Amino acid sequence: SRDAGAAADKRAPAQVYDVTSYVSQHPGGDAILKTVGRDSSVGFHGEQHGEATFAFVEEFRIGQVVG
């Protein structure tokens, strides 16, 4: 498991994304950091994210939540 202070790991439904390199480019500013290390499904699937977002984040996927 990664140290949350060392990387910005985001969790969306059963997926884990390391968005560390993207934080400074995120259009919503540091809002992306509010759920680091926790389930971010609600924000991730919010109305502010279009369909293109779901394809875009795949390059940041580092694993799946198990159990």
Side-chain angles (χ1 to χ4, degrees):
S1 149
R2 292 182 160 200
D3 177 352
D9 291 347
K10 298 288 290 179
R11 294 171 189 255
Q15 305 298 321
V16 179
Y17 301 89
D18 181 349
V19 296
T20 304
S21 64
Y22 178 68
V23 171
S24 65
Q25 300 167 43
H26 184 252
D30 65 358
I32 196 171
L33 299 174
K34 291 181 180 175
T35 56
V36 168
R38 297 189 312 257
D39 183 347
S40 62
S41 301
V42 173
F44 184 75
H45 291 284
E47 62 186 34
Q48 74 279 13
H49 295 138
E51 288 297 318
T53 301
F54 307 121
F56 171 75
V57 299
E58 284 307 302
E59 70 182 89
F60 300 102
R61 186 160 52 104
I62 59 171
Q64 286 190 293
V65 176
V66 178

